[in-house]
Amino acid sequence: MSGTEGVSSAASAVIVRMEPRAAEVTDAVRDVILAQIPELRGDAQLVQLLRASVEGNIATIFAAIRHGIDVAGVTAPVAALEYARRLAQHDVTPNALVRAYRLGQQELLRLVFAEVRAGGLDADTALAVFEATFTATSQYIDWISEQVIEVYRQELDRWRESRERIRGEQIRRILARTKDSRGVDELSSTLRYPLREYSLAVVMWYPKPVLERGELIGMERFLHAAAKHLGAVSSPLFMAHDRQTAWAWIPLAPAAVDGAVPALRRLADGDPHAPSLGIGAPRRGVGGFVRSHELAEDARAVALRAAGEDRVTVASDDTGVVIAAMLGGDLSTAGVWVREVLGPLAEPTESDAHLRHSLQVFLEAGSSFTAAAPVLHLHTNTVKYRVRKAVERRGRPLEEDRLDVEIALLLCRRFPAILEPNWR
């Protein structure tokens, strides 16, 4: 008998002696894996499936060594493939799966080597048998790992797509204020989002999409950075509304509510890769989750009319946004109405723009020249002069329709394009 045949025969004999103890070997390998990789401890069913996967892999390896089967053509056991799918569904990292195979190989080799030593083989034969076993198991692990990782990735994509679809449907039902028999905590568990907390809703988009399918990735990346910046109490909620628009919610602690919107604006303004933002206002509970989103949508509607193709950040509490949003986004007649209210003061000239701004600040300051002066960085007498010129330019006193004047000035500020001759 040649040396190679002798080694194969000796290796086969070792496996034959170990096969009656296959269950014991399986448990030993499983226990090492669970001890070293906490991620895999999971629930009882997952642990049972791990054992079935280990059992199937060991049986396949034993059969390959005993009968001289080329492991490169072996198909992964059914339990091993199902275990990979289940890990994907539980969001366990693929690194944990690969590491489990390596740890399993190490433990199996330890047990095989113990059996080799117990068999009374001479040193050279024992070393040759161990080398042959090591080679066979390494080739098997490499080959099977490719199969289970591919199955894992396919399942992860399918599972995430299904989960996102289900979650998206649930979010839309909540936003539609559809009655649901489930409580807040159950809904929170379904969405993986704390609905009892304050929510700051954000609508994100890129004015000039240039990346193929990359916009949503950029938005989600910005969202997570924003959540961290604002000190979110847990992970934010992200939902693709379409390929170029995303809806998002950031859960906030009560202490973080007051400064959240300006902090988010500063973050966006300082990031050249940030998307455009329509920002709602922090609101609490399920109703607040919905209302903040409605306000964010209002801010976006205003931003789209005002910004064109420029990147912009608009918050619902910005001056004039809510009023503009209540017009339903239809500003086709706004230019005509603004001119009727403001008269020549609505002309698109630089001097009229300065007069409009001075008049608006004066009105927002409670018609106080003294209060308006520091805001405008002007002397009180200069403010008086500008306000008087603005009223003269308009052609009639403010007392007649002050509210209309304030709204018209807000629209001019928010939508400067309506002052252009070709506005429609």
Side-chain angles (χ1 to χ4, degrees), residues 12 35 46 100 104 143 155 201 217 231 251 269 279 335:
S12 178
L46 201 59
W143 174 244
E155 180 64 17
I217 295 175
D269 291 344
I279 308 173

Side-chain angles (χ1 to χ4, degrees), residues 1-13 65-66 68 125 128-129 132:
M1 182 179 295
S2 66
T4 302
E5 292 177 347
V7 171
S8 297
S9 177
S12 178
I65 295 174
R66 181 177 180 183
T125 303
V129 168

Side-chain angles (χ1 to χ4, degrees), residues 160-161 163-172 175 190-194 199-206 213-227 234-251 275-277 289 293:
R160 282 180 174 173
E161 182 178 346
R163 189 173 63 189
E164 289 300 318
R165 177 180 57 77
I166 294 172
R167 186 166 66 170
E169 291 173 354
Q170 181 62 62
I171 291 173
R172 292 181 190 279
L175 294 179
T190 299
L191 296 180
R192 297 185 177 185
Y193 181 88
S199 291
L200 176 61
V202 184
V203 178
M204 299 179 285
W205 72 99
Y206 283 101
R213 302 180 64 184
E215 288 83 5
L216 292 174
I217 295 175
M219 294 177 205
E220 190 167 12
R221 184 181 296 116
F222 175 81
L223 173 65
H224 283 280
S234 67
S235 297
L237 181 61
F238 180 87
M239 174 183 169
H241 177 54
D242 55 39
R243 291 185 64 180
Q244 297 179 359
T245 310
W247 296 347
W249 290 262
I250 301 174
S276 287
L277 304 179
F289 178 90
H293 175 73

Side-chain angles (χ1 to χ4, degrees), residues 28-196:
V29 171
R30 177 205 58 192
D31 291 346
V32 167
I33 292 173
L34 292 177
Q36 295 295 321
I37 311 178
E39 293 175 81
L40 301 184
R41 292 168 193 170
D43 55 35
Q45 288 186 334
L46 201 59
V47 172
Q48 290 174 2
L49 190 54
L50 168 61
R51 189 189 187 284
S53 174
V54 172
E55 183 179 39
N57 282 308
I58 289 176
T60 304
I61 291 174
F62 278 4
I65 295 174
R66 181 177 180 183
H67 301 291
I69 300 172
D70 183 4
V71 294
V74 172
T75 301
V78 173
L81 296 177
E82 182 56 30
Y83 184 64
R85 294 188 186 96
R86 199 70 61 84
L87 290 184
Q89 295 169 9
H90 283 256
D91 285 331
V92 177
T93 65
N95 289 339
L97 180 58
V98 173
R99 188 175 174 220
Y101 273 90
R102 292 302 177 191
L103 287 172
Q105 180 195 19
Q106 292 173 16
E107 179 62 13
L108 180 60
L109 286 173
R110 187 188 69 80
L111 296 172
V112 169
F113 191 54
E115 187 64 37
V116 169
R117 287 186 299 180
L121 297 176
D122 62 83
D124 289 342
T125 303
L127 181 59
V129 168
F130 181 76
E131 288 180 347
T133 305
F134 176 79
T135 299
T137 55
S138 295
Q139 290 176 346
Y140 177 82
I141 295 300
D142 288 343
W143 174 244
I144 296 302
S145 294
E146 290 183 10
Q147 295 184 50
V148 296
I149 288 299
E150 180 59 28
V151 167
Y152 173 97
R153 287 173 178 164
Q154 291 176 359
E155 180 64 17
L156 184 63
D157 290 343
R158 187 197 68 78
W159 182 254
R160 282 180 174 173
E161 182 178 346
S162 175
R163 189 173 63 189
E164 289 300 318
R165 177 180 57 77
I166 294 172
R167 186 166 66 170
E169 291 173 354
Q170 181 62 62
I171 291 173
R172 292 181 190 279
R173 284 197 294 269
I174 292 174
L175 294 179
R177 302 180 189 274
T178 303
K179 290 185 179 180
D180 198 311
S181 60
R182 290 173 293 178
V184 177
D185 293 333
E186 188 174 351
L187 287 174
S188 297
S189 178
T190 299
L191 296 180
R192 297 185 177 185
Y193 181 88
L195 288 169
R196 291 187 182 278

Side-chain angles (χ1 to χ4, degrees), residues 148-421:
V148 296
I149 288 299
E150 180 59 28
V151 167
Y152 173 97
R153 287 173 178 164
Q154 291 176 359
E155 180 64 17
L156 184 63
D157 290 343
R158 187 197 68 78
W159 182 254
R160 282 180 174 173
E161 182 178 346
S162 175
R163 189 173 63 189
E164 289 300 318
R165 177 180 57 77
I166 294 172
R167 186 166 66 170
E169 291 173 354
Q170 181 62 62
I171 291 173
R172 292 181 190 279
R173 284 197 294 269
I174 292 174
L175 294 179
R177 302 180 189 274
T178 303
K179 290 185 179 180
D180 198 311
S181 60
R182 290 173 293 178
V184 177
D185 293 333
E186 188 174 351
L187 287 174
S188 297
S189 178
T190 299
L191 296 180
R192 297 185 177 185
Y193 181 88
L195 288 169
R196 291 187 182 278
E197 302 293 341
Y198 281 91
S199 291
L200 176 61
V202 184
V203 178
M204 299 179 285
W205 72 99
Y206 283 101
K208 298 178 181 179
V210 294
L211 304 174
E212 292 185 4
R213 302 180 64 184
E215 288 83 5
L216 292 174
I217 295 175
M219 294 177 205
E220 190 167 12
R221 184 181 296 116
F222 175 81
L223 173 65
H224 283 280
K228 182 178 180 180
H229 183 71
L230 298 182
V233 296
S234 67
S235 297
L237 181 61
F238 180 87
M239 174 183 169
H241 177 54
D242 55 39
R243 291 185 64 180
Q244 297 179 359
T245 310
W247 296 347
W249 290 262
I250 301 174
L252 300 172
V257 166
D258 289 342
V261 173
L264 180 57
R265 187 194 299 275
R266 288 192 297 271
L267 180 67
D269 291 344
D271 183 354
H273 303 293
S276 287
L277 304 179
I279 308 173
R283 296 288 187 271
R284 195 168 203 169
V286 177
F289 178 90
V290 176
R291 181 54 182 157
S292 187
H293 175 73
E294 291 172 345
L295 292 171
E297 284 280 41
D298 286 345
R300 179 176 186 258
V302 172
L304 289 176
R305 294 295 306 221
E309 294 186 344
D310 296 326
R311 186 168 67 91
V312 66
T313 298
V314 175
S316 61
D317 59 1
D318 288 349
T319 304
V321 169
V322 173
I323 292 176
M326 285 192 296
L327 295 174
D330 181 10
L331 300 176
S332 58
T333 61
V336 175
W337 182 79
V338 165
R339 284 180 171 80
E340 290 175 348
V341 172
L342 298 182
L345 184 60
E347 291 299 316
T349 65
E350 185 175 352
S351 60
D352 284 310
H354 286 307
L355 293 178
R356 286 194 301 270
H357 179 57
S358 297
L359 179 59
Q360 183 178 17
V361 171
F362 168 72
L363 294 173
E364 290 176 351
S367 299
S368 167
F369 296 110
T370 303
V375 178
L376 292 168
H377 303 290
L378 297 173
H379 190 275
T380 303
N381 290 335
T382 305
V383 176
K384 291 180 180 179
Y385 170 78
R386 287 195 177 185
V387 169
R388 179 172 57 79
K389 291 293 293 183
V391 173
E392 291 176 355
R393 182 76 169 144
R394 179 181 179 238
R396 56 185 189 274
L398 297 176
E399 290 74 17
E400 292 183 5
D401 49 4
R402 172 174 170 155
L403 180 59
D404 285 354
V405 171
E406 289 193 60
I407 294 175
L409 290 171
L410 287 172
L411 290 176
C412 288
R413 175 180 171 182
R414 185 56 57 189
F415 307 106
I418 64 175
L419 301 179
E420 300 298 329

